[in-house]
Amino acid sequence: MEGASIDVAVGAERLALADLVAHLDDAQWATPSLCGAWTVRDVVAHLTGTTRDGLGTILVAAVRARGSFDRMEVDRAARRATRHSTEELVQMLRESAASSRRTPGSSRMDPLMDLVIHAQDIARPLGLVHTSPPEVVAASLAYVATNRFMGAPRRLRGLRIVSTDTGWSYGHGAAVRGADVDLLLAISGRPAGLVALSGPGLARLTAQL
């Protein structure tokens, strides 16, 4: 995927995710997501900041977090989640669909893969099914597989991932096979993605997660 097609996909993913969470009840919003310290509400709050927080806001947050990116993101999401009602968060997510603005320093693919992964972070713990377009998931998988910032190359050391959806593969070593969405979750650090994977390299991937 390239250029404008990525921006279109980002908009569509934001609207689809807004539809997914719009009718959740309070208990569902408070459910722990697949993403570490975040609840479903925190994940949605995080996704509403992508088009709204400029460099100044991020620098202030970085200072507050004493330079830790993870601590900064947790803090930003928590503050936004507290500040806005669920209805406001859903509306903000819908409004973001028309914007191509993104976090300073990020690429066009960053918000797309973020949405694809976080949609699963929300849906799976709730027992819901959320499906992103196959080409969007495939593009996100290929992007994350080489992304050192997200830690995928370290997790894939000595391994080759093989898509059972498209036949695409990446890496060298013992094979791990599975659907694109499950491979994507696993290499981005979500153990929930391991359940549907197979192959001689699965034990090593599990250990390296």
Side-chain angles (χ1 to χ4, degrees), residues 98-118:
S99 174
S100 60
R101 185 181 177 189
R102 58 182 185 271
T103 304
S106 64
S107 75
R108 265 183 157 141
M109 276 299 300
D110 284 316
L112 184 58
M113 66 85 186
D114 209 31
L115 284 156
V116 172
I117 294 170
H118 284 319

Side-chain angles (χ1 to χ4, degrees), residues 47-132:
L47 291 171
T48 65
T50 306
T51 62
R52 291 175 171 81
D53 292 343
L55 182 59
T57 300
I58 292 173
L59 289 175
V60 169
V63 171
R64 187 187 299 123
R66 301 185 300 282
S68 167
F69 178 82
D70 288 342
R71 201 158 44 227
M72 178 184 75
E73 289 300 289
V74 168
D75 181 62
R76 287 173 63 206
R79 288 172 181 270
R80 192 178 292 276
T82 301
R83 192 182 311 131
H84 299 285
S85 68
T86 54
E87 292 79 9
E88 288 172 335
L89 291 172
V90 173
Q91 184 57 33
M92 291 164 69
L93 192 56
R94 291 195 193 283
E95 291 171 353
S96 298
S99 174
S100 60
R101 185 181 177 189
R102 58 182 185 271
T103 304
S106 64
S107 75
R108 265 183 157 141
M109 276 299 300
D110 284 316
L112 184 58
M113 66 85 186
D114 209 31
L115 284 156
V116 172
I117 294 170
H118 284 319
Q120 297 302 315
D121 287 338
I122 290 170
R124 294 197 178 198
L126 294 176
L128 302 175
V129 175
H130 180 82
T131 305
S132 298

Side-chain angles (χ1 to χ4, degrees), residues 152-170:
R154 174 180 54 79
R155 298 184 187 106
L156 291 175
R157 188 171 57 249
L159 296 169
R160 179 169 64 95
I161 53 173
V162 182
S163 166
T164 55
D165 292 328
T166 67
W168 175 86
S169 66
Y170 175 81

Side-chain angles (χ1 to χ4, degrees), residues 1 13 109-117 132-147 150 168 180 184 187:
M1 300 183 69
E13 288 297 296
M109 276 299 300
D110 284 316
L112 184 58
M113 66 85 186
D114 209 31
L115 284 156
V116 172
I117 294 170
S132 298
E135 67 276 12
V136 169
V137 182
S140 298
L141 174 61
Y143 178 73
V144 172
T146 62
N147 193 311
M150 294 192 67
W168 175 86
D180 286 350
L184 177 61
I187 70 171

